[in-house]
């Protein structure tokens, strides 16, 4: 009897604590968002405002907000579909960047001379804005689809490459000694020592890289056209559908946030236990 | 009896730009099979450099390391190293850390199940089977060092090199591990070279103690043979006159004749 009551109060206590934690983490952002929406509504709610207010967006772009996956025709599709098209391009470009970046980064990190020679060049190349690559890649590929993917690739490879190189350079001498005593060959060293040891650095690079890739795809699609979310914004601008643009911006922001969190979560899952102790 | 391991007129000079530092000069030493030899000296005298030279992790400047009359100048599994800071790979479990070594060295000569049994056998030698699925961060410093020893033993080295293996451990854990090393040596009769700065450890474990002079250009000052009977019991030795005499002569060497002059 006593035990049963104890147990019950335990459960309620636990529920209360869980509820408090959830509230503590979700309430502040919700309140802040509400305040921002309110300010936005007050500033742009007046007649003659240049930008739409939240209520106008809701009224005029309701179909886009409510159903992300409708298909009314070849060019009249939900923003979910457009986002997926963009994500596919990002996926291809980013995967190439990850593979090539990790591989070249590993090679460069192993050689002090390669590092000294190439690092300044990479530091310069990495500051070139994504769109500056677009004309060159259009000229080289003569097609918009591979050009957009190349822009993703060339934008996101630098942080991956540089971080991998730094991670490889920071492999503790102890691990190298272990590998030497066991006479691991280059291949075994790469898979068994280098990748796990440099994983925290590599994932930092991947996380920055995916952020840059998502920044670049919108800009690239604006110019290359097609189905993606970036082109949608350009198209909406040309036909003066400002509320649609606002909705698209929310999509881009949320998807970028989710991508960042996914890479971060995968990173902390894989590098769990990698930190030396 | 032919020399098992021979250090033949070894010297080591480190160059950094135009400046040269002679760390070791003219080291000559012969180590027999099944022997435990300690190398003792003040910090900075090049003990660890000497071990790295034997391991092949650092190249010698002049002279040669000969193992069974063959020169060795690169690292290899016949000279396993137990590193001071255990050097376990933190992303692998205890079992996988040993398995990495066993799979590499015996991958072609032992079957999968033989290797599995061999890994467990070696973990059992250091009493670590119970923690085989733990990661290094989840076990104590003494346990990590045990796993380091198991990894080194598991590749069946001709010679086991221990670089201040218990330096980072507390006194009680250290005593425990020293007993384990003596037990393992009693069973396997391995040849071991151990770097230490602990006089009691050197006398307790070794057949011979190599005492190094202070650097730069350190060399072997004196070699003391410890004739104590094995198995040695820590408690019985405390009052043993031979033990006390051996201990005294090492202490005299280190603190009277070659006391450390610079501020430590």
């Amino acid at each position: 009897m006593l035990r049963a009551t104890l147990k019950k109060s335990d459960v309620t206590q636990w529920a209360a604590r869980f509820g408090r934690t959830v509230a503590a983490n979700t309430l502040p952002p919700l309140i802040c968002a509400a305040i921002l929406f309110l300010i936005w509504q007050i500033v742009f709610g007046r007649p003659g405002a240049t930008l739409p207010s939240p209520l106008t967006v809701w009224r005029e772009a309701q179909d886009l907000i409510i159903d992300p996956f409708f298909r009314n025709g070849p060019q009249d599709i939900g923003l979910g579909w457009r986002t997926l098209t963009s994500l596919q391009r990002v996926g291809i470009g980013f995967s190439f960047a990850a593979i090539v970046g990790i591989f070249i980064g590993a090679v460069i990190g192993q050689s002090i001379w390669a590092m000294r020679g190439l690092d300044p060049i990479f530091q310069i190349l990495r500051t070139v804005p994504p769109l500056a690559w677009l004309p060159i890649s259009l000229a080289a590929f003569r097609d918009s689809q591979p050009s957009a993917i190349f822009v993703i690739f060339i934008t996101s490879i630098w942080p991956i490459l540089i971080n991998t190189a730094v991670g490889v350079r920071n492999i503790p001498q102890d691990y190298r000694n272990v590998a030497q005593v066991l006479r691991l060959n280059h291949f075994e060293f790469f898979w068994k020592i280098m990748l796990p040891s440099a994983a925290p650095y590599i994932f930092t690079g991947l996380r920055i890289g995916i952020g840059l890739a998502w920044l670049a795809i919108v800009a690239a699609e604006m110019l290359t056209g097609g189905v993606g979310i970036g082109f949608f914004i350009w198209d909406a601008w040309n036909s003066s559908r400002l509320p649609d643009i606002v909705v698209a911006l929310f999509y881009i922001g949320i998807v970028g946030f989710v991508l960042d969190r996914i890479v971060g979560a995968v990173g902390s899952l894989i590098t769990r236990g990698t930190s030396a102790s | 009896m032919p020399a098992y391991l021979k250090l033949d007129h070894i010297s080591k000079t480190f160059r950094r730009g135009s400046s040269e530092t002679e760390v070791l000069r003219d080291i000559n030493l012969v180590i027999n099979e099944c022997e435990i030899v300690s190398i003792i000296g003040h910090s900075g005298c090049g003990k660890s450099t000497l071990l790295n030279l034997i391991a092949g992790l650092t190249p010698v400047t002049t002279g040669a390391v000969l193992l069974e009359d063959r020169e060795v100048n690169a690292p290899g599994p016949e000279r396993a190293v137990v590193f001071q800071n255990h050097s376990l790979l933190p992303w692998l479990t205890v079992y996988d850390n040993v398995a990495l070594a066993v799979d590499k060295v015996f991958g072609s000569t032992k079957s999968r199940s033989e290797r599995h049994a061999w890994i467990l056998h070696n973990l059992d030698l250091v009493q670590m089977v119970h923690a085989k699925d733990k990661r290094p961060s989840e076990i104590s410093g003494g346990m990590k060092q045990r796993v380091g020893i198991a990894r080194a033993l598991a590749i069946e080295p001709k010679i086991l090199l221990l670089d201040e293996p218990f330096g980072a451990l507390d006194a009680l854990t250290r005593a425990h591990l020293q007993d384990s090393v003596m037990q393992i040596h009693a069973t396997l009769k391995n040849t071991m070279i151990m770097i230490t700065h602990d006089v009691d450890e050197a006398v307790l474990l070794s057949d011979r103690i190599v005492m190094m002079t202070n650097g730069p250009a350190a060399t072997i000052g004196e070699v003391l043979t410890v004739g104590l009977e094995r198995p040695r019991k820590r408690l019985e030795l405390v009052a043993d006159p031979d033990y006390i005499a051996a201990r005294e002569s090492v202490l005299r060497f280190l603190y009277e004749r070659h006391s450390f002059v610079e501020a430590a």
Side-chain angles (χ1 to χ4, degrees), chain A residues 174-175 177-178 180-184 188 192-193 196-197 272-277, chain B residues 57 75-77 81 83 85-91 100-101 104 135 137 144 151:
Chain A
D174 292 336
Y175 302 169
N177 286 348
V178 169
Q180 278 191 293
V181 168
L182 294 176
R183 290 207 185 123
L184 298 184
E188 289 165 329
K192 292 182 174 171
I193 310 276
S197 178
R272 177 178 43 118
T274 308
S275 54
S277 56
Chain B
L57 293 167
V81 188
F83 297 96
N85 47 358
H86 66 77
S87 295
L88 299 178
L89 303 177
W91 54 88
L100 176 74
K104 175 63 191 172
R135 283 167 192 262
S137 56
K144 283 179 212 166
R151 179 174 63 185

Side-chain angles (χ1 to χ4, degrees), chain A residues 151-206:
Chain A
V151 169
I152 301 303
F153 169 83
I154 205 74
T155 310
S156 54
I157 192 171
W158 307 115
I160 300 172
L161 197 156
I162 292 166
N163 274 280
T164 305
V166 172
V168 168
R169 284 201 69 187
N170 282 332
I171 296 174
Q173 188 58 42
D174 292 336
Y175 302 169
R176 292 183 185 277
N177 286 348
V178 169
Q180 278 191 293
V181 168
L182 294 176
R183 290 207 185 123
L184 298 184
N185 57 38
H186 287 297
F187 185 74
E188 289 165 329
F189 182 72
F190 178 77
W191 282 107
K192 292 182 174 171
I193 310 276
M194 199 189 273
L195 275 191
S197 178
Y201 290 89
I202 295 175
F203 272 98
T204 307
L206 289 176

Side-chain angles (χ1 to χ4, degrees), chain B residues 2 25 76-77 88 103 106 220 243 250 256:
Chain B
R25 177 183 290 171
L88 299 178
D103 290 346
F106 297 115
I220 295 175
Y243 178 84
V250 178
E256 250 177 38

Side-chain angles (χ1 to χ4, degrees), chain A residues 89-90 92-101 104 133 141 146-161 209 213 216:
Chain A
R89 289 192 184 118
V90 168
I92 298 170
F94 180 70
S95 303
F96 274 122
I99 294 164
V100 177
I104 298 180
W133 291 103
F141 293 104
S147 302
I149 290 172
F150 176 77
V151 169
I152 301 303
F153 169 83
I154 205 74
T155 310
S156 54
I157 192 171
W158 307 115
I160 300 172
L161 197 156

Side-chain angles (χ1 to χ4, degrees), chain A residues 38-54:
Chain A
L38 194 68
I39 295 172
W40 178 12
Q41 179 65 38
I42 291 167
V43 173
F44 293 107
R46 304 173 277 110
T50 49
L51 295 177
S53 69

